[in-house]
Structures are given as structure tokens and as C-alpha cells.
Amino acid sequence: MQAFLKGSTQSVKPQRDKAAAGSGGEKRQKAVPWVEKYRPKCVDEVAFQEEVVAVLKKSLEGADLPNLLFYGPPGTGKTSTILAAARELYGPELYRQRVLELNASDERGIQVVREKVKNFAQLTVAGTRPDGKACPPFKIIILDEADSMTSAAQAALRRTMEKESRTTRFCLICNYVSRIIEPLTSRCSKFRFKPLANDIQQERLIEICEKEIVLYILLQGIEALVKVSEGDLRKAITLLQSAARLSTEKEITESVIIEIAGVVPPKVIENLLQTCYKGTFEKLEVAVKTMIDEGYAGTQILNQLHDIIIEESLSDKQKSVITEKMAVVDKCLVDGADEYLQLLGLSSVIMQQATQNS
Ligand SMILES: Nc1ncnc2c1ncn2[C@@H]1O[C@H](COP(=O)(O)OP(=O)(O)OP(=O)(O)O)[C@@H](O)[C@H]1O
Ligand SMILES: [Mg+2]
């Protein structure tokens, strides 16, 4: 891998022969999205989440497993980790009997918790697999996207979790841990999944490029992917696949990635700011209108403006007034307010603050 990178500092171009030999001359592959194709198959393949991997590996070696609560931002490996661990613990045959996976697309109201989850939890299980190997004498109930469960349904789990602790382990997964009721969090070992570090993401993406024989991708393209995905590997891989499909002949550069990711080009944002600082209100109106007409999402413009404003050389007071307005605009956009008016309102505040000396 390192040699691969060093060999071409400018562009990342796997050699066709080498890559073809690597894939063993496979026939046309099934059309699977790359995120699924490269979902970790075993716990060892999960990158960057060392603590949880260490605990799971201990239990793979025969130690007991606590009830688990995984939380963290999207695309950081929560679902993949527990599915891979369950597969390794039970093997493909027992998996279906031993693991109950419920996510937000399944009905998980209080009734289901009372019946389905409780009944499944009460079943006792043996400590060996059909193939004779030892396996843990408990089942696993995975409640994915648990933050969308009602508090009543969560409360119904409290006693079940305690009573069936001899035969069942629970794994709750969510993005927002504050939406899980306190009594449940205190029954679980909590693991925070961190956004993936840039170098780890980069390594994964290069690996995928090698395997998929993505020619024509430049290193700056990969760096741009890592930057726009902000630690969300799923987003990075999805964008990579779109980019690879889009430009089969052209080189995948930073600007191609920026284009497909819907990021507003930095020049456009800079232009808006300069209009705020030096222009007139009429010019500002035109600039905002043009941005909206170009189809950039209001929330995206807001996020990028936020990142830049923090770095600008304005006084603390000016920055605090502007960011307070940003918070209001953000909420209004979530509630479905008009993007043009909201951004114009925000830009006016920036203009006011920047032009008055304080
Ligand atoms: N730590 C990781 N190691 C390896 N691959 C990862 C990791 N995190 C994410 N991925 C990649 O991203 C895809 C999505 O990961 P996963 O479904 O586990 O995310 P998640 O944390 O459950 O996200 P969500 O909160 O949106 O459900 C996986 O298929 C895999 O390709
Ligand atoms: Mg998930």
C-alpha cells in the first residue's frame, strides 16, 4: 500500500495487470453498492474503533459480554461492528437462531418489546454450535437506531434486560445517546464511535480504488473525498463510487468531488463574504439570489459560511452576533423556512457587523 502511494505521488493509478491478477480474473461482479461490498466481515476489519474491538475480541475468546450501547455519528461502523461480531461468535448457521436484529424499519413499539423481544430473550440456549465448537451460552438482541424508540418502549426493556441477563445480551445502537433513557444507559457498557481519522479513511479509499481498478483518480481527489465526508466513511465510499462511475475517462480531481458532493466552491462563499464586507445591499441581494438559483442547499452554504466566519479577523463580539444569527437560521431552515430570505437575513447581519466598528 505504501509503495503504491509512494510510487505515484501525483496520481493514484493502480496498474491494470496487477489489479486484474489480484481479483483472480473474476467474472462480472454482482452490482452491489461498494459500502455493502466493503462492509467489515470480521471485527478485525473494523478500523479506528480500538476500544470496542478489544472488548468484542475478548468475548470472542470466551469471556463474557456486557450489554452494549454504541453511539456516534453516521457511517462510523456501529452496525457493521456488532453484525461482524455476532457472525464470528455464532457462525452462519446459528446466527439466525441466536441473533434478533430490529431496526427503525421494524415495529418496535411497546407491544413488540413486550411480546417479540421478551419471548426471544426468554429462550435458553446451549453453549455449543452444531459443528461442535464452543459458542457463548447467550443470545444477542440488536436494537439498531434505538434513539427512534419511544421512551415507553425503552422503559419496557428495563426489567427484561435485567431478568434475562443469564441468557441474553442487548446491543443498543444510536446516533444521539441523549435520546436513550438514563436507566437503559446505566445498564450498558457505553462505547462512543469516533468519526474516522483522515489517514484511516484515506487508506480505506485507496484500498477500494485498488480493488475496483479505479483508474484516473488523483491523490487530491481522495483527499477531497476525506475532507468533504468529515469522518463519515460511508459517505466517502458512496461518493467515490459515484465519482468512479461519472468519470470513467477523465481524471477524478478535487473539483469533480466538490461538484458531486454538492459542496459550494470556496470561491463562491468568498465572493459572498467580500460582498458583505465591501459591497452594497443590492449587490448582496443579487449574490444570494444567484447562489440559491444555482441550486446550492441552504444548510450547506450555512455550514461552510460558519467554518469561514470562525476563522475571519472579526472581533469576538461581531463573531458572537453572527453565530447567534446562524443558529437561528439553522433552526428556521430545518423547520422549512424560505432559503433565500434566511440567507439574506444572515448575510445582512454579517454586513452590519462587518461595516460597523466595534
Ligand atoms: N470503522 C469502520 N471500519 C471499516 N469500515 C467502516 C467503518 N465505519 C464505516 N465503514 C464503512 O461504512 C459503511 C457503513 O457503516 P455502518 O453501517 O456500520 O455505519 P453506522 O455507524 O451503523 O452508521 P448509522 O449511524 O448511519 O447507522 C460500512 O459498510 C463500511 O463500508
Ligand atoms: Mg447503523
Side-chain angles (χ1 to χ4, degrees):
M1 158 92 51
Q2 287 309 321
F4 172 72
L5 253 185
K6 278 186 199 137
S8 51
T9 44
Q10 259 306 307
S11 89
V12 181
K13 286 186 185 171
Q15 294 157 9
R16 200 181 274 274
D17 302 347
K18 196 178 121 202
S23 58
E26 277 171 59
K27 295 216 184 86
R28 256 190 106 74
Q29 300 212 334
K30 272 190 270 166
V32 191
W34 291 357
V35 266
E36 289 310 323
K37 196 164 163 191
Y38 297 101
R39 196 183 272 282
K41 308 270 180 314
C42 58
V43 193
D44 274 327
E45 286 179 25
V46 175
F48 203 60
Q49 315 292 359
E50 292 84 12
E51 298 90 357
V52 64
V53 168
V55 169
L56 288 172
K57 278 175 89 175
K58 274 262 163 338
S59 72
L60 288 175
E61 287 160 13
D64 199 12
L65 190 69
N67 287 319
L68 300 167
L69 172 63
F70 293 172
Y71 65 99
T76 47
K78 300 179 295 298
T79 307
S80 315
T81 305
I82 192 64
L83 291 181
R87 232 170 241 118
E88 275 189 82
L89 275 174
Y90 300 116
E93 272 176 46
L94 261 191
Y95 182 86
R96 259 189 242 141
Q97 298 167 22
R98 294 287 181 95
V99 180
L100 176 66
E101 190 205 345
L102 295 173
N103 55 44
S105 66
D106 302 298
E107 171 59 52
R108 292 179 308 185
I110 187 157
Q111 206 56 33
V112 173
V113 172
R114 278 193 192 131
E115 288 165 15
K116 204 166 169 185
V117 173
K118 207 168 158 187
N119 289 344
F120 184 80
Q122 279 168 351
L123 299 173
T124 50
V125 288
T128 47
R129 295 199 212 174
D131 58 9
K133 280 196 208 152
C135 75
F138 52 76
K139 300 171 286 353
I140 298 186
I141 299 185
I142 304 171
L143 294 165
D144 208 346
E145 288 124 28
D147 38 8
S148 65
M149 286 172 78
T150 61
S151 345
Q154 290 186 31
L157 276 176
R158 290 161 62 166
R159 195 66 193 124
T160 313
M161 242 165 143
E162 278 175 356
K163 253 177 46 198
E164 312 305 340
S165 57
R166 284 199 324 159
T167 56
T168 308
R169 296 291 172 277
F170 284 81
C171 177
L172 306 181
I173 306 180
C174 63
N175 293 124
Y176 306 102
V177 71
S178 53
R179 295 195 191 150
I180 304 292
I181 60 171
E182 188 92 339
L184 280 192
T185 53
S186 85
R187 283 168 171 79
C188 301
S189 301
K190 288 195 265 183
F191 292 99
R192 189 173 76 86
F193 277 62
K194 302 162 281 185
L196 273 79
N198 289 358
D199 50 338
I200 305 271
Q201 283 203 68
Q202 193 160 327
E203 210 173 280
R204 287 262 157 173
L205 291 173
I206 291 174
E207 229 176 279
I208 295 178
C209 287
E210 279 179 318
K211 288 196 184 135
E212 293 292 333
I213 324 177
V214 180
L215 305 169
Y216 309 117
I217 187 157
L218 300 183
L219 198 53
Q220 52 153 268
I222 294 206
E223 278 164 2
L225 273 176
V226 170
K227 193 160 161 236
V228 298
S229 61
E230 296 175 334
D232 177 344
L233 187 53
R234 182 198 286 124
K235 187 168 168 187
I237 297 177
T238 312
L239 283 174
L240 174 65
Q241 188 170 12
S242 321
R245 293 282 169 269
L246 189 71
S247 45
T248 41
E249 299 291 304
K250 283 201 319 255
E251 281 176 336
I252 303 177
T253 56
E254 190 177 354
S255 53
V256 172
I257 302 292
I258 287 187
E259 175 81 4
I260 57 170
V263 175
V264 187
K267 251 196 290 173
V268 177
I269 298 274
E270 188 51 38
N271 181 30
L272 180 71
L273 271 185
Q274 287 310 321
T275 320
C276 290
Y277 294 160
K278 301 205 184 91
T280 59
F281 189 76
E282 281 78 35
K283 280 192 189 155
L284 188 61
E285 223 180 332
V286 174
V288 174
K289 186 144 187 11
T290 320
M291 281 177 96
I292 298 292
D293 289 348
E294 296 251 326
Y296 297 120
T299 43
Q300 180 68 35
I301 300 175
L302 179 64
N303 280 338
Q304 286 182 245
L305 261 180
H306 174 262
D307 292 346
I308 293 189
I309 285 286
I310 298 287
E311 305 283 317
E312 287 293 283
S313 55
L314 296 165
S315 73
D316 290 353
K317 192 167 164 230
Q318 289 169 322
K319 282 186 189 172
S320 57
V321 174
I322 296 172
T323 43
E324 193 180 347
K325 175 69 180 170
M326 284 180 164
V328 175
V329 168
D330 187 39
K331 170 70 177 143
C332 292
L333 287 177
V334 170
D335 290 344
D338 184 76
E339 296 198 333
Y340 167 68
L341 286 180
Q342 290 300 321
L343 285 179
L344 189 60
L346 172 61
S347 313
S348 316
V349 171
I350 300 178
M351 186 178 232
Q352 255 174 31
Q353 290 298 319
T355 47
Q356 82 189 16
N357 303 321
S358 66

